[in-house]
Amino acid sequence: MSKRKTYRPEEIRAGTTLFIVTRVPGQMVNHYGVAEYLVASKREPQPEPGTAHPYRMHPLIAVYAVSQTDLWRTRRAAQAEADRRLGIELARMKRGAQ
């Protein structure tokens, strides 16, 4: 049995590094990348609402994120998923061109 590559909500703790597959809309095809976040402690000062805080994520935001998308355990697994999604986009574009 292989180890799970994504986190479950109950596994999110301060100090956990997680990776999210991001989508950047392109002209012909969407591009996918990987964003890395460190789950901060609840007591750490948080950014003002509406401003992005690079790299760190509040634990409650991380729990919300896991309900919306997959949070990957490793950069390698997240990059593999990003590459898979790009392959689907390219195949869809190729089918449309025929």
Side-chain angles (χ1 to χ4, degrees):
M1 187 169 172
S2 65
K3 188 174 180 180
R4 229 174 349 91
K5 295 182 179 182
T6 58
Y7 284 108
R8 291 184 179 148
E10 63 272 9
E11 296 174 328
I12 304 297
R13 303 230 181 332
T16 302
T17 301
L18 47 92
F19 302 90
I20 300 175
V21 176
T22 59
R23 180 176 67 96
V24 179
Q27 291 184 359
M28 295 295 289
V29 66
N30 293 321
H31 299 280
Y32 294 90
V34 176
E36 179 179 347
Y37 293 96
L38 174 68
V39 179
S41 71
K42 291 180 182 178
R43 289 191 264 166
E44 183 175 323
Q46 298 301 312
E48 294 296 320
T51 61
H53 194 296
Y55 186 65
R56 293 188 178 280
M57 183 182 287
H58 190 276
L60 296 177
I61 301 296
V63 170
Y64 172 75
V66 79
S67 72
Q68 301 298 310
T69 189
D70 292 327
L71 301 181
W72 299 90
R73 292 177 178 270
T74 63
R75 177 181 296 282
R76 185 177 192 173
Q79 188 61 55
E81 175 64 13
D83 294 342
R84 185 188 73 81
R85 292 181 189 181
L86 180 60
I88 291 170
E89 291 276 337
L90 292 174
R92 185 178 300 143
M93 190 175 82
K94 187 176 179 181
R95 277 194 309 264
Q98 293 179 355

